[in-house]
Amino acid sequence: MMVIGLSFIICHLSFSSAAAQGIPDMKFRRLDTRDGLANSQVNSIVRDSHGYVWLATPFGLCRYDGYRVRNFYSYERDTMTLRSNRVDKVEEDHYGRLWLNHGMNYSVLDPVTEKVDRQPTRWLAEQGITGGLEYIHIDSKHCYWVKTYDNGFFHYDPRGKHLKRIPFGYEMGSFPKEFAITAATECREAMLFVSNMGELMCIDGNVGVVEWRDDYVKKQLNNFNDYWVFYDKPQDMIWVITHSKGTYIRERSGSQWYSNLTDYMRAKGFQNVPDDIVVWEACYDKKGLLWVATDHLGVLVLNFQTKEWKQFTNVKSDDSSLPESTAKHLYLDQLGRMWVTTFKCGVAMSSDALTNFVTLPVGDINAITEDHQGNWWLGLNSGGILKMDPKTYEVTDSVRKGRIGTPSDVIVSAYTARDGTLYFGTWEGGLITYKNGEWHCLTATSPGSKLGTNNVWSVTEDHWGNIWLGLLGGGVMRLDPKTGSQRVLTDKNSYLATVWTNSISKAANGWILAGNSEYCALIHPQTFKVINMPPPHDENSYTISRASTQALMDERNIIWQASPSGLSINDRTTGESFLLDMKSGFYGSNVVSMVEDDNHTMWVVTDHGVSNITPQKDEDGHWTFPVRSFNDRDGLQPGPFNQRAIYFTKSGLVLIGGQEGLDIINTRKLQAKKRKEKPLFCGLVIFNDLIEAGQKYNGRVILRQTLSSTDHIRLKDTENQFTIQMGSDDGGIKNGKRFVYRMEGFNDEWMKTSAISSDITYMGLPAGDYTLCVRMLNDDGTMGEEESRLDIIIGKPWYRTWWAFMVYIFIACCFGVWWLKKFYRGFKGQRGEADINHTTEYVHGLIHKIWG
């Protein structure tokens, strides 16, 4: 008892500490009929022991592997298919089978063979559960709770094969036959059931007795309904949900009832609670936050410790919000992700990974920097400058041109110098500086100014504290903040190829790198020596745009160029060049900004997405660039993002500006949480035909079991063009991870699946025995530890089989005999009898030598 109590306290403390952190801004990923779901309404969800997610819909059962949906239907002439296309509930049992509820009936799907047993009562009878099946529930320990029509109530524990029966009756401890169960929930060590009249019954299955009953809701409403029950373990409360006539809530050991959620929340100290909340379901997440699915109010998330609550609904044009505002069912999977089903828009999934993205609608952001106190300064496209508190996301100051006397409110660049001075470049407004509470502006018409243009497109600082400006149409200018001296480099007074400078930064070797309309140039900060870099070009693969939106050089001596044609990468040490674009996994090929983080990975922004690149160098010194991409479905703004509007903070955040505000990406959290995923062989396609378990193809059955349940397949030589569909045991919506694979016996080199498809395809594989080895490709470019293997045997063509060779030998022998006979007849007509006898003896002797 002490161990149990201690574990409960530890669990409660960890639950409480997580809940005390508050409610994060929940983001969702969506799955609907556009992704292949059989129906847009989802009635029930379960993630099975193999990692597949199964979804019950009004028209079919769906299996999701993180990449694609596979649907199962009922066919009248095939008794091994679903009993009905209407699937109300799906549950996994102790043996990995799926129990499906079809209104008044049940069936059982074996995921290994994909065959359905439409008469599960036969299996139940073998376990001692006799009688017609009225209701079945499988709890978290995979125990069966079964009510029959005429033989009582049963509890069956398959681990020890323990069976308890509660007979029908009306005395204490018996089960009333008229108690028609509509829902069940686990209540400490017992199971709590609710009837279609709102009655409650608590049963101890291990003992086989009814512990208590409660008919309060029945007396209040006295009508039939599809009631639902929920036990709130942390608060020790029981909920009876009517879906239409209120939600009745009381303490398990008390007698006071609340008739609706609004009154209950107000009694618990929650403020500004809406009236008339119609509840569908409730469920706790792994942090101890209570999720409540409602009708037309979306999802309410309650924190009982802080008395905070948040509402999450559908937001138009935001694909990371709920797909609609009527949420019907909730499901917390084994990985701590909350799934929300909706009435008519499919299902949504929320996970901790999605909370790593935050969007702040603070305007059209062009430029970002961070001062020495940690405040963020945002340059707007037409609204001047904002100062923001990074802890509260509160705008603490707004600076417009009228306040500081500058000619432009269009800020296009920002930089914080080592001495704390803030520099802001503008369009048609020159350079704005801020230091010690004072604002100043340098324009082309200022006294002593050498600015040839008022378009200051970029700002950086060299090793000696000089400020360098990239001028659009004016070349490059160095400004000494101590003396005020200025020097301008153009195509007239230096070797600069152009004056159209889009970006400027300090290279790892201390030189100044200017990205311009002719690729980029390196400038020595003291001698002003200019080296115009030729744009990289691979004559066998691609041609890049010469115009640089941004250019920078990292510590690996690699030049990265953002351009409209993609991201060009030039290793100055080896001379290797690469191009990454939408074919590499970007969301579009127009790269608008990039920054290097403290782990030396690159964050690259396109018009409508953000990609993280982890450069990898193999043993031969060749580079690879794994790409992991995010977009509005991950919680980012839909874009478009703005050029050079990116910044990496001291706390490990990537800030990205776009037309709809500021996106914040927590890179530390993205890198911290890793899980070992296992690849799943989800499907076999031969010449565009999906091969199902038990299906005949070319006159024979290729798969006796599903591909994920078998260890080998045998194909004919005419079936050597095939595709293996890959999935992951993660099961999350829109899994973006790729796979690495090799075919032992054919090619030992590891290859990657494409960025847009998880399929592995082989064309014309020769006859032989092979083994397909597959691993997950981690986000950092390394291979996962979990490996899945599938033996593939390609048969020989008929003319290379053993029986074909026997035929060849037989034909050769027949030809030999025929030739000998012909030779003998011709020889007999030309020679005498003695010669013939001599020849005959010679041939017989020769045959004797050949055949021994």
Side-chain angles (χ1 to χ4, degrees), residues 97-112:
R97 301 172 304 179
L98 300 174
W99 287 72
L100 312 176
N101 173 225
H102 312 279
M104 301 291 291
N105 300 306
Y106 288 88
S107 63
V108 179
L109 170 67
D110 185 353
V112 174

Side-chain angles (χ1 to χ4, degrees), residues 698-762:
N698 285 342
R700 77 191 204 288
V701 175
I702 296 177
L703 294 175
R704 298 289 178 182
Q705 301 178 343
T706 57
L707 192 63
S708 58
S709 303
T710 189
D711 58 359
H712 75 280
I713 56 174
R714 189 181 297 272
L715 303 176
K716 295 179 179 179
D717 68 294
T718 56
E719 300 164 345
N720 61 352
Q721 179 178 322
F722 60 90
T723 295
I724 303 295
Q725 295 177 336
M726 297 304 304
S728 164
D729 68 348
D730 177 86
I733 294 179
K734 303 294 190 301
N735 192 334
K737 285 190 176 180
R738 297 163 67 182
F739 299 86
V740 289
Y741 64 95
R742 65 180 179 185
M743 186 73 80
E744 292 182 355
F746 178 71
N747 187 355
D748 291 336
E749 179 182 355
W750 288 97
M751 304 177 67
K752 300 175 185 176
T753 56
S754 89
I756 59 176
S757 174
S758 64
D759 293 347
I760 298 174
T761 300
Y762 281 92

Side-chain angles (χ1 to χ4, degrees), residues 385 404-408 410-415 421-434 439-446 449 451 453-460 467-471 477-481 486:
I385 302 168
I404 59 178
T406 58
S408 175
V410 181
I411 311 299
V412 294
S413 59
Y415 185 81
T421 304
L422 302 180
Y423 294 88
F424 298 93
T426 70
W427 175 75
E428 293 297 335
L431 178 69
I432 301 173
T433 61
Y434 176 73
W439 294 90
H440 299 279
C441 183
L442 176 68
T443 67
T445 59
S446 299
S449 172
L451 283 174
T453 175
N454 283 324
N455 297 322
V456 182
W457 237 236
S458 187
V459 185
T460 193
I467 301 301
W468 290 76
L469 310 178
L471 307 176
M477 188 176 95
R478 190 188 78 170
L479 171 66
D480 187 338
Q486 306 169 25

Side-chain angles (χ1 to χ4, degrees), residues 169-440:
Y170 299 97
E171 62 273 10
M172 184 66 71
S174 298
F175 194 104
K177 188 175 183 179
E178 294 79 12
F179 192 97
I181 302 173
T182 57
T185 185
E186 295 180 37
C187 181
R188 295 196 184 276
E189 298 302 320
M191 186 65 66
L192 186 62
F193 298 92
V194 65
S195 74
N196 60 359
M197 291 295 294
E199 301 167 281
L200 290 174
M201 182 184 301
C202 185
I203 298 177
D204 186 336
N206 295 322
V207 181
V209 297
V210 175
E211 290 190 340
W212 55 266
R213 293 169 59 187
D214 188 297
D215 60 355
Y216 176 84
V217 177
K218 177 183 178 181
K219 291 179 179 178
Q220 297 298 312
L221 301 178
N222 193 30
N223 72 327
F224 291 94
N225 206 328
D226 185 21
Y227 293 95
W228 190 83
V229 64
F230 166 66
Y231 174 58
D232 180 349
K233 184 176 180 180
Q235 303 299 318
D236 197 27
M237 304 293 288
I238 296 173
W239 296 34
V240 177
I241 300 172
T242 68
H243 300 153
S244 59
K245 297 182 179 295
T247 299
Y248 289 81
I249 306 172
R250 78 165 176 88
E251 293 185 10
R252 187 177 65 91
S253 57
S255 59
Q256 180 182 1
W257 281 89
Y258 299 93
S259 60
N260 57 73
L261 180 59
T262 300
D263 291 344
Y264 174 65
M265 289 179 61
R266 289 171 179 170
K268 289 295 183 177
F270 292 91
Q271 302 294 322
N272 302 317
V273 182
D275 296 323
D276 302 324
I277 303 175
V278 178
V279 178
W280 276 96
E281 278 190 10
C283 180
Y284 272 98
D285 65 16
K286 67 176 185 179
K287 294 181 178 179
L289 302 175
L290 181 63
W291 293 52
V292 182
T294 73
D295 194 289
H296 287 88
L297 292 179
V299 172
L300 308 182
V301 180
L302 282 58
N303 188 329
F304 282 92
Q305 287 198 9
T306 64
K307 309 305 177 186
E308 175 191 9
W309 69 275
K310 282 187 178 181
Q311 180 182 13
F312 299 94
T313 61
N314 171 255
V315 179
K316 290 184 178 180
S317 75
D318 183 0
D319 284 347
S320 65
S321 67
L322 285 172
E324 69 159 311
S325 294
T326 294
K328 292 196 64 177
H329 304 287
L330 301 167
Y331 172 69
L332 181 68
D333 69 16
Q334 301 92 323
L335 301 180
R337 300 170 302 201
M338 186 67 75
W339 297 71
V340 183
T341 77
T342 64
F343 181 67
K344 56 184 179 181
C345 293
V347 64
M349 181 199 77
S350 178
S351 70
D352 286 344
L354 298 178
T355 63
N356 297 327
F357 305 91
V358 177
T359 299
L360 304 179
V362 290
D364 190 354
I365 306 299
N366 275 345
I368 309 163
T369 190
E370 180 182 23
D371 65 23
H372 290 351
Q373 290 73 41
N375 299 302
W376 298 343
W377 294 79
L378 313 176
L380 277 67
N381 192 37
S382 60
I385 302 168
L386 299 179
K387 180 183 178 182
M388 178 176 287
D389 185 337
K391 296 180 181 179
T392 62
Y393 300 150
E394 179 184 357
V395 175
T396 58
D397 197 5
S398 176
V399 182
R400 303 293 295 267
K401 63 181 182 180
R403 169 181 164 184
I404 59 178
T406 58
S408 175
D409 265 340
V410 181
I411 311 299
V412 294
S413 59
Y415 185 81
T416 302
R418 290 196 297 271
D419 65 358
T421 304
L422 302 180
Y423 294 88
F424 298 93
T426 70
W427 175 75
E428 293 297 335
L431 178 69
I432 301 173
T433 61
Y434 176 73
K435 185 177 183 180
N436 299 326
E438 296 183 359
W439 294 90
H440 299 279

